[in-house]
Amino acid sequence: VISLGSQTRGVPPPATGPTTAGTDGERREPCRSSVTPLPTLTRMIHWMTAFVDRPVGTIEAATSCWAAATATRLSPSRGDRDEFRTLVPSDGDPHLRVQAVTDGPGGVHLDLHVADIEVLADRAVGLGASVVARPGHVVLRSPGGLLLCAVGHHGEHRVPAPVSLPDGGTTRVDQVSIDVPGERFDDEIRFWSD
């Protein structure tokens, strides 16, 4: 019998760690393991930023549209090619950004803000991601094909309040849907939950 802290009728749970009981019912020393379970990928993430990636030729229209839709103000452009802008909320920490891309149609990618970029990258690779680049942070591709960046965490933690709508309702961008090819779906689910 192995007890993991649940109480068996009349037998108190072990004080520390799991214990074993022999066939004679006598309690044995706690089971010890030298293996420390790895934290799930999501437990390593302190903050997440969603990026709307748009081709350079459409970035101004896309940026204006997203700023209006989210009732945010635009930060000044930054980056080597002025390719980044932040959608700054009236309160809370920014969690939406826009990036002008030179290749492809654009899409969405996530920045995962973590304490240790390399630890997250190693864990992600162990879960099936691949490293795409290391330009001062780590760009990864998840098993389902989603681009992600492992970046440093700088204390972000305040979720912006919902934005009031003219009809009296409220709204807030608080999730990103990930489109994953059917044949990679199980791998992507495992990636985010293991």
Side-chain angles (χ1 to χ4, degrees):
V1 174
I2 297 178
S3 170
L4 297 175
S6 61
Q7 188 159 349
T8 307
R9 190 178 307 201
V11 180
T16 59
T19 61
T20 59
T23 55
D24 58 3
E26 188 174 314
R27 291 171 64 96
R28 306 281 190 250
E29 286 297 309
C31 297
R32 305 235 189 270
S33 173
S34 61
V35 177
T36 302
L38 293 172
T40 62
L41 190 69
T42 55
R43 289 184 188 261
M44 296 175 156
I45 301 167
H46 295 289
W47 190 256
M48 195 175 298
T49 301
F51 273 81
V52 177
D53 300 327
R54 303 304 312 148
V56 171
T58 64
I59 194 66
E60 289 306 319
T63 302
S64 296
C65 175
W66 278 99
T70 59
T72 54
R73 67 177 172 76
L74 291 169
S75 73
S77 297
R78 64 190 181 287
D80 295 340
R81 299 178 314 278
D82 288 333
E83 69 270 33
F84 301 110
R85 299 210 49 196
T86 299
L87 299 167
V88 182
S90 60
D91 76 304
D93 292 317
H95 64 288
L96 298 170
R97 293 188 168 94
V98 181
Q99 178 177 352
V101 295
T102 55
D103 295 327
V108 173
H109 84 268
L110 300 174
D111 272 13
L112 310 177
H113 300 251
V114 297
D116 190 318
I117 294 168
E118 292 301 324
V119 169
L120 180 116
D122 290 346
R123 180 72 174 131
V125 168
L127 292 169
S130 57
V131 174
V132 175
R134 291 181 182 267
H137 57 281
V138 181
V139 180
L140 300 152
R141 187 173 305 280
S142 74
L146 177 69
L147 282 176
L148 337 151
C149 295
V151 300
H153 181 242
H154 302 289
E156 302 91 337
H157 69 278
R158 291 182 340 137
V159 176
V163 176
S164 296
L165 299 173
D167 67 1
T170 60
T171 187
R172 167 176 54 207
V173 176
D174 64 358
Q175 56 187 308
V176 174
S177 295
I178 302 170
D179 293 328
V180 178
E183 67 274 7
R184 302 299 297 173
F185 183 79
D186 290 341
D187 294 334
E188 190 74 9
I189 294 296
R190 229 179 340 272
F191 175 74
W192 290 103
S193 58
D194 279 358

